[in-house]
Amino acid sequence: MMKAVENTPSDRSLRPPPLIDDADENAAGERPVVLIVDDSADNLLALEAMLRCDDFVIATALSGRAALDILLAHHVAVAIIDVQMPEMDGFELATLMRGVEKTRDVPIVFVTAGSRETSRMFKGYEVGAVDYLWKPIDEQILRSKVDVFVRLERQRQQLLQAERMREMFVAILGHDLRNPLQGIKTATERTMRLTQDEEARKTLESIRQSGDRMARMIAQILDVTQMRAGAGLTIRRAPTELSLVVEQIVDEFSAHRRLLRVEYSGDTRGVWDADRLLQLVSNLVGNAVEHGPPGGHVHVRVDGRAPAWVKFEVHNGGCGLPKQLRDVLFEPFRSGDRTRGLGLGLFICKQIVEAHGGAIDVESTDETGTAIRISLPRRHADDAPLPAPLASGRSPQASAAAGPSPITETRRVILLIDDDVGVRESLELALMLEGFTVVAAADGDGAAARIVDERVAPDLIVSDFFLRKSATGSQVVMRLRELLNRDAPAIILTGGGSLVPAHRTALANSVRLGKPVEIEQLTRTIYDLLSRATPD
């Protein structure tokens, strides 16, 4: 049965219809929303009667302003908008919708009693209309058009839900993989220190390198998951010296030390995220060593002669990159050799550089080899001025990075909290071999019991961030500090990587370290925190 609605005046009081009520709001979370906008209450009622069904929620608005409120509050599958309205006509409303990110892609179907002049239709399409309906409206045509957009919206919601589930799965998997990996790396490092058998050490070194590779892959997956969620990379700026970052990476490539040629010039200080720069430099140097010709040198240059920028370059010889690879070098999953990694390293490098406001490019020929060049601004407008360099040429942070001398007075007590028994036992043994007295607990309640019932007074607390049976590690540390009546230094270990915002682990007199943590790094951090608490 065909029905028609005329846009006729009505004596009815034009009372603005309410927004979606609580019951409909819950339904709107699962059912698409169809918005109808018309300045005639009679027309709204007629259109709503034509479309009413259980497949979607109908929202109505008597004006453009009321429509914008609904559009900003809900995800709308399609907006059916009358062109001729007072104060704000349909074209003006469409223009405003296209200027707001949330409403930019909402399909618009214009309803009009006006002429079908081509120029007027083009004006509607220019402001974002996908279709027109002329009054009187054919019910079957209206329902058919709305059904198409409702199906598209339902498919979009299903895709978004699948994407959220996939990202959640990746994040949980990345965290849970880091716990057994922590145990493997800790046991490997401990055994390498104890054994003198050269063949055994080679085998252990191979295990350690494989563990490092897996840790990098997990970190890359978590970084990409965060970026796909729209959060971007987490950057924590602090005064940093790039030359010391490079030195640390060169030390990690000790097996290839003879191949590396490192040059520094000028002032290499800036306000950057030191951890991200370590990730950046490690990736670039590792790629250059791995993909360079056998026995060929890798040149690393840090140029700090410019007042506002520091330039960094990694250059190896050999054949240049194929043009088709150069064009996609910084795109994800586009690595030329997937057997060596996930194809995410250079993509993340580009994100790190751009998050600092810098630029990255590549130059590659068969004659000169491949060079990746980076320019980093020393600081942003809202950064504090850089401290003056020390007499040694090193910044205060650089001196701290060198690590304090181990504290050798009485054996220090470490309270270790981790709900993964393998990680807890491996870290406990490793720290005991480093000369600490270790008291372990599986959760916050267990740690509190050790302090209250056993009179344990730890010098430092090491806690995992994700604890299944209690609050987060940061919250547990705050509770334990209350019991101790002092701000005991703390280290928060997290396998969540950049997916855990910095503010969730931020505590005074504490340091955040990612899993799997190197025992040497953990020990150095413990000594650093304890030295700060030790009176001169």
Side-chain angles (χ1 to χ4, degrees), residues 371-450:
I372 294 183
R373 299 186 178 94
I374 292 169
S375 297
L376 292 173
R378 291 189 187 273
R379 53 188 296 269
H380 282 221
D382 55 349
D383 290 333
L386 286 169
L390 301 180
S392 62
R394 293 188 172 187
S395 67
Q397 177 170 328
S399 300
S405 301
I407 299 172
T408 57
E409 38 196 73
T410 59
R411 288 173 66 93
R412 296 304 187 102
V413 178
I414 307 296
L415 176 55
L416 173 65
I417 310 165
D418 201 303
D419 54 5
D420 187 295
V421 63
V423 173
R424 189 169 66 249
E425 290 179 351
S426 63
L427 287 177
E428 182 178 4
L429 184 54
L431 291 173
M432 289 174 62
L433 291 173
E434 292 292 336
F436 298 107
T437 297
V438 182
V439 178
D443 53 38
D445 291 340
R450 304 299 297 267

Side-chain angles (χ1 to χ4, degrees), residues 46-179:
L47 290 172
E48 187 175 2
M50 287 183 187
L51 293 174
R52 186 171 295 282
C53 68
D54 294 331
D55 291 339
F56 50 83
V57 175
I58 297 176
T60 59
L62 281 165
S63 68
R65 294 183 183 278
L68 286 174
D69 290 338
I70 295 173
L71 285 160
L72 293 174
H74 306 283
H75 292 285
V76 174
V78 59
I80 302 169
I81 303 174
D82 185 31
V83 173
Q84 296 168 322
M85 294 187 295
E87 296 184 8
M88 182 189 298
D89 65 22
F91 293 157
E92 292 171 327
L93 174 57
T95 302
L96 290 174
M97 289 173 61
R98 293 299 176 248
V100 178
E101 184 173 355
K102 183 174 181 179
T103 61
R104 183 173 297 145
D105 298 320
V106 174
I108 297 173
V109 176
F110 278 135
V111 176
T112 180
S115 67
R116 303 196 182 197
E117 294 179 3
T118 303
S119 60
R120 187 167 179 80
M121 289 177 59
F122 278 142
K123 180 180 180 182
Y125 290 127
E126 286 174 358
V127 296
V130 297
D131 208 345
Y132 265 90
L133 288 172
W134 278 269
K135 298 177 181 180
I137 296 173
D138 185 301
E139 179 180 351
Q140 185 173 346
I141 293 176
L142 174 64
R143 291 196 64 89
S144 297
K145 292 181 184 297
V146 169
D147 286 344
V148 169
F149 293 114
V150 166
R151 284 198 299 272
L152 290 173
E153 174 62 17
R154 188 173 288 113
Q155 292 171 2
R156 187 189 72 85
Q157 290 179 0
Q158 291 171 349
L159 289 172
L160 288 175
Q161 178 66 15
E163 184 69 15
R164 284 193 293 268
M165 292 296 294
R166 183 162 53 249
E167 290 173 353
M168 185 182 301
F169 170 77
V170 169
I172 293 173
L173 182 63
H175 172 263
D176 289 350
L177 281 176
R178 280 176 159 173
N179 275 335

Side-chain angles (χ1 to χ4, degrees), residues 475-529:
Q475 293 168 330
V476 167
V477 168
M478 288 190 289
R479 178 187 172 195
L480 298 179
R481 285 176 171 178
E482 291 177 358
L483 293 176
L484 295 168
N485 198 28
R486 59 185 174 86
D487 284 344
I491 297 175
I492 305 297
L493 303 178
T494 174
S498 58
L499 291 179
V500 180
H503 71 270
R504 295 191 63 193
T505 58
L507 286 173
N509 196 24
S510 71
V511 172
R512 162 176 160 163
L513 297 177
K515 283 184 175 179
V517 63
E518 301 279 352
I519 294 303
E520 182 178 350
Q521 181 189 19
L522 178 60
T523 304
R524 185 170 63 246
T525 305
I526 290 173
Y527 284 143
D528 183 26
L529 286 169

Side-chain angles (χ1 to χ4, degrees), residues 136-367:
I137 296 173
D138 185 301
E139 179 180 351
Q140 185 173 346
I141 293 176
L142 174 64
R143 291 196 64 89
S144 297
K145 292 181 184 297
V146 169
D147 286 344
V148 169
F149 293 114
V150 166
R151 284 198 299 272
L152 290 173
E153 174 62 17
R154 188 173 288 113
Q155 292 171 2
R156 187 189 72 85
Q157 290 179 0
Q158 291 171 349
L159 289 172
L160 288 175
Q161 178 66 15
E163 184 69 15
R164 284 193 293 268
M165 292 296 294
R166 183 162 53 249
E167 290 173 353
M168 185 182 301
F169 170 77
V170 169
I172 293 173
L173 182 63
H175 172 263
D176 289 350
L177 281 176
R178 280 176 159 173
N179 275 335
L181 185 57
Q182 179 69 70
I184 292 170
K185 286 176 62 65
T186 302
T188 301
E189 293 175 24
R190 186 177 69 242
T191 308
M192 286 182 68
R193 293 187 182 188
L194 298 177
T195 185
Q196 301 299 321
D197 187 293
E198 193 59 33
E199 289 301 317
R201 291 183 63 84
K202 289 181 180 178
T203 301
L204 292 168
E205 176 62 23
S206 176
I207 295 173
R208 188 187 68 80
Q209 290 179 356
S210 296
D212 289 342
R213 181 183 174 197
M214 181 180 290
R216 287 194 296 271
M217 288 181 176
I218 293 172
Q220 290 172 356
I221 290 172
L222 292 176
D223 281 340
V224 171
T225 299
Q226 182 186 24
M227 285 183 278
R228 288 178 65 86
L233 283 178
T234 302
I235 299 295
R236 297 186 294 274
R237 302 177 187 276
T240 305
E241 188 150 354
L242 184 55
S243 61
L244 291 179
V245 172
V246 173
E247 287 177 16
Q248 182 173 337
I249 297 304
V250 169
D251 288 342
E252 292 179 6
F253 283 87
S254 56
H256 305 280
R257 187 66 180 87
R258 60 184 181 82
L259 304 178
L260 300 178
R261 299 289 184 268
V262 185
E263 302 174 17
Y264 304 106
S265 58
D267 182 359
T268 65
R269 296 174 305 136
V271 182
W272 306 303
D273 187 322
D275 290 336
R276 288 297 185 188
L277 291 192
L278 285 167
Q279 185 180 2
L280 171 72
V281 175
S282 177
N283 210 316
L284 294 180
V285 173
N287 278 351
V289 169
E290 188 172 7
H291 296 285
H297 291 116
V298 173
H299 296 271
V300 181
R301 299 182 179 90
V302 182
D303 183 355
R305 290 174 293 178
W309 296 80
V310 176
K311 296 183 178 181
F312 173 72
E313 177 182 320
V314 178
H315 182 198
N316 66 354
C319 297
L321 298 171
K323 184 180 185 306
Q324 62 269 25
L325 181 57
R326 291 201 302 271
D327 294 339
V328 297
L329 191 63
F330 298 109
E331 295 182 14
F333 306 109
R334 302 297 291 271
S335 169
D337 185 359
R338 290 292 300 279
T339 64
R340 299 184 179 185
L342 298 173
L344 294 174
L346 290 176
F347 167 70
I348 293 175
C349 285
K350 185 174 187 289
Q351 303 304 310
I352 292 172
V353 172
E354 291 181 348
H356 283 89
I360 182 170
D361 60 49
V362 60
E363 180 181 328
S364 184
T365 66
D366 289 339
E367 293 75 25

